[in-house]
Amino acid sequence: MKWGVQVVRGNTHNVGSTSVILQFASGRYLFNCGEGTQRLSFENKTRISKLTAIFLTRVDWDNMGGLPGMLLTLAETGSQNLVVCGGHNLTHAMAAMRHFILRSDMGVGVKELRDGDAAAAFSDENIRVTPVHIYPTGYTVSAHEQGADESDAAAIRRMLLERAFGVHKAPEPTDRKKREPPQPQQKKGYYGQECKEAAIEQVLQKFEQQDEDRTKKRSLSPGHSPKRSSDVFLPLATPTPCALCYIVEGPEVPGKFDSQAARDLGLKPGPQFAQLVRGQTITTADGQTIRPEQCVGPARPSSLVIIIDCPSPAYIDSLTTAHQFVPFLEGTKTAGPQKDQLMMIVHSLGPGVAQDARYKKWAARFPAHVRHMVSAPEYVPDNNPFQRHLRIHAAMHAISPHTYILPQATDKAELPLHTFLDSKNLVAPKSMMMYDIEPEPKLDESMVT
């Protein structure tokens, strides 16, 4: 199965997060959706209509500033049952968008990957994602940040979320050859032409009735049953400095089919070959039973990618001591086969982190074959990724230099990459850069503008 990591935008002095997309034939997985992500995807013709899930490393503007616009764009393409994953307060942040976005047929699911929650993971047919929570030095994790949130305030947030985005439903497995193309949905936001007050009221009443039927005993306050989302106050949330890193495990690689071994067993190329590749046992015309392992080699363990978000040097101690990363490090007693499966690490680093001796020493302990994508302000030039806008602006500047001032940008980084690590597997992110994980690790810069 072919899959890889594509860069949307790197971490610079002007941009406080790194956005990358994991691309599979059957889905896309976006990590961080900062401001301008949707615009960059449109300009570079990235197929966001296949977006399956969005993962946020932090619930703040740097990492999710482009999420409202992305959701509106996906709604217009007919996207449904998208999952948004992140840390503490993600449901609160999504519910706060209800006055701007009303797409009740979209079915957006929100999954808070909270610290101490055994169910804090994401998994589907393509990937399994495990979060790693890190905190600044000296911060004490409070009780309300631990485990699943089952409070009354959380119930109100989930109700408001369902009113704005509908009920999330897990997609049913379908034959991709018979899958119908997505149909654009009718606009039902506050600012579209069809956003009549009566239509909004009708949608809200429908969800209110569903809430009453499902939980008749629940009430937001005595004697009060609001009909509009705006009548319900969003409960206050307590900010948390938690940042999430992600360990992403891809699909297992099937074993290689030995066609000569199949011929030696009396089989001919065709449907029987295909059945063996799919792991099915077949019976020949003469009654001979042939099992897949007779013709197919052993499966290879899945490849791994790590997404690291370290906003400042205050997070380094928590990151470098996280037990989830120990199996990938050289020279540890618990190092296992996972370190051989690790193909790439995306380092999304805040100012000062990449030059901190503690972080450089820790990063050097990963296996030598691992590709390091260093997304830090010191190593990523402060250029303008919006090339279409830049060309138009340059043309207008040629006409009227005093009116249209060229934006400040540079294509030169502050520091060379070798000052981060002594390794040949270092690369700085560029918009639209692609790194293939399977079937063979390979860096592709052909789409970089």
Side-chain angles (χ1 to χ4, degrees):
M1 176 184 291
K2 180 178 175 61
W3 68 283
V5 180
Q6 186 173 40
V7 178
V8 179
R9 195 170 187 179
N11 195 351
T12 67
H13 289 292
N14 301 319
V15 181
S17 68
T18 303
S19 297
V20 297
I21 297 179
L22 266 61
Q23 295 201 7
F24 290 81
S26 59
R28 304 282 191 273
Y29 305 85
L30 175 63
F31 287 79
N32 287 328
C33 189
E35 192 171 8
T37 301
Q38 185 270 343
R39 181 181 170 190
L40 271 174
S41 301
F42 177 78
E43 181 173 320
N44 294 312
K45 299 181 180 180
T46 303
R47 298 183 63 182
I48 61 174
S49 59
K50 281 190 173 184
L51 207 59
T52 304
I54 298 175
F55 298 86
L56 304 177
T57 56
R58 282 172 284 144
V59 183
D60 62 14
W61 187 257
D62 283 341
N63 299 70
M64 61 180 299
L67 187 56
M70 179 68 76
L71 292 175
L72 288 172
T73 300
L74 290 172
E76 298 307 313
T77 65
S79 177
Q80 291 183 325
N81 297 318
L82 176 76
V83 179
V84 182
C85 301
H88 186 72
N89 288 335
L90 177 60
T91 306
H92 180 92
M94 292 291 293
M97 300 179 190
R98 68 195 187 281
H99 297 297
F100 178 68
I101 305 174
L102 182 61
R103 294 294 187 269
S104 58
D105 296 331
M106 197 173 178
V108 176
V110 174
K111 189 175 181 63
E112 285 196 3
L113 307 176
R114 297 167 65 91
D115 199 356
D117 184 2
F122 174 90
S123 179
D124 68 0
E125 61 178 350
N126 292 322
I127 62 173
R128 175 175 175 79
V129 181
T130 303
V132 180
H133 300 76
I134 62 173
Y135 302 89
T137 301
Y139 181 79
T140 302
V141 182
S142 59
H144 77 276
E145 296 178 73
Q146 295 282 341
D149 189 359
E150 302 295 341
S151 64
D152 293 339
I156 295 175
R157 296 186 186 105
R158 288 192 291 267
M159 182 192 67
L160 293 174
L161 195 66
E162 288 187 3
R163 287 181 173 181
F165 297 104
V167 180
H168 175 74
K169 298 179 181 178
E172 298 179 359
T174 57
D175 186 352
R176 267 179 269 169
K177 295 182 180 180
K178 299 180 180 179
R179 183 180 298 171
E180 296 181 358
Q183 299 296 325
Q185 299 180 38
Q186 182 182 1
K187 294 182 179 180
K188 296 181 181 179
Y190 281 101
Y191 304 104
Q193 294 180 353
E194 301 180 13
C195 302
K196 302 293 181 62
E197 183 177 355
I200 297 176
E201 179 69 18
Q202 184 178 3
V203 172
L204 294 177
Q205 287 179 355
K206 180 181 72 172
F207 282 105
E208 179 65 28
Q209 185 61 44
Q210 291 177 355
D211 291 332
E212 291 178 358
D213 293 342
R214 186 166 57 247
T215 54
K216 294 182 179 180
K217 295 183 180 180
R218 185 200 302 170
S219 61
L220 301 177
S221 61
H224 179 60
S225 180
K227 295 296 183 181
R228 296 174 182 268
S229 294
S230 57
D231 292 339
V232 182
F233 288 100
L234 187 62
L236 295 177
T238 303
T240 174
C242 177
L244 268 65
C245 304
Y246 293 105
I247 301 173
V248 185
E249 181 180 356
E252 186 180 64
V253 181
K256 187 176 180 181
F257 179 71
D258 189 344
S259 59
Q260 187 57 49
R263 289 188 177 93
D264 293 343
L265 292 171
L267 301 179
K268 296 181 179 180
Q272 290 181 329
F273 276 25
Q275 287 178 292
L276 290 173
V277 171
R278 290 194 295 266
Q280 300 174 0
T281 301
I282 62 175
T283 303
T284 61
D286 58 0
Q288 182 184 4
T289 299
I290 299 178
R291 298 182 303 277
E293 54 268 24
Q294 294 178 257
C295 306
V296 181
R300 181 162 56 84
S302 56
S303 298
L304 298 170
V305 173
I306 293 179
I307 312 291
I308 292 176
D309 183 10
C310 189
S312 73
Y315 289 79
I316 293 179
D317 288 340
S318 177
L319 172 65
T320 56
T321 56
H323 67 88
Q324 294 92 335
F325 294 123
V326 173
F328 303 102
L329 302 177
E330 298 280 13
T332 58
K333 296 180 180 180
T334 57
Q338 296 97 321
K339 68 178 184 179
D340 297 325
Q341 298 169 236
L342 181 60
M343 294 289 109
M344 184 180 191
I345 302 176
V346 178
H347 302 264
S348 180
L349 311 177
V353 176
Q355 288 302 299
D356 193 292
R358 296 170 297 168
Y359 191 88
K360 294 166 69 173
K361 181 180 179 181
W362 178 73
R365 296 179 61 191
F366 286 97
H369 71 272
V370 175
R371 173 76 69 170
H372 295 266
M373 182 176 289
V374 188
S375 183
E378 298 89 345
Y379 299 105
V380 181
D382 286 314
N383 56 13
N384 191 333
F386 302 102
Q387 294 298 312
R388 184 181 302 177
H389 166 266
L390 193 59
R391 287 192 294 269
I392 296 174
H393 202 101
M396 299 303 294
H397 174 78
I399 298 172
S400 179
H402 298 291
T403 304
Y404 298 94
I405 308 298
L406 287 177
Q408 297 296 318
T410 178
D411 291 328
K412 185 177 180 180
E414 291 181 6
L415 297 173
L417 278 175
H418 68 79
T419 61
F420 176 68
L421 282 182
D422 184 14
S423 172
K424 296 181 180 180
N425 287 328
L426 298 179
V427 62
K430 301 176 183 177
S431 184
M432 298 306 294
M433 174 190 287
M434 184 77 183
Y435 186 74
D436 293 331
I437 303 297
E438 295 289 354
E440 180 181 356
K442 181 180 64 174
L443 184 65
D444 182 4
E445 298 189 38
S446 60
M447 293 182 288
V448 176
T449 54

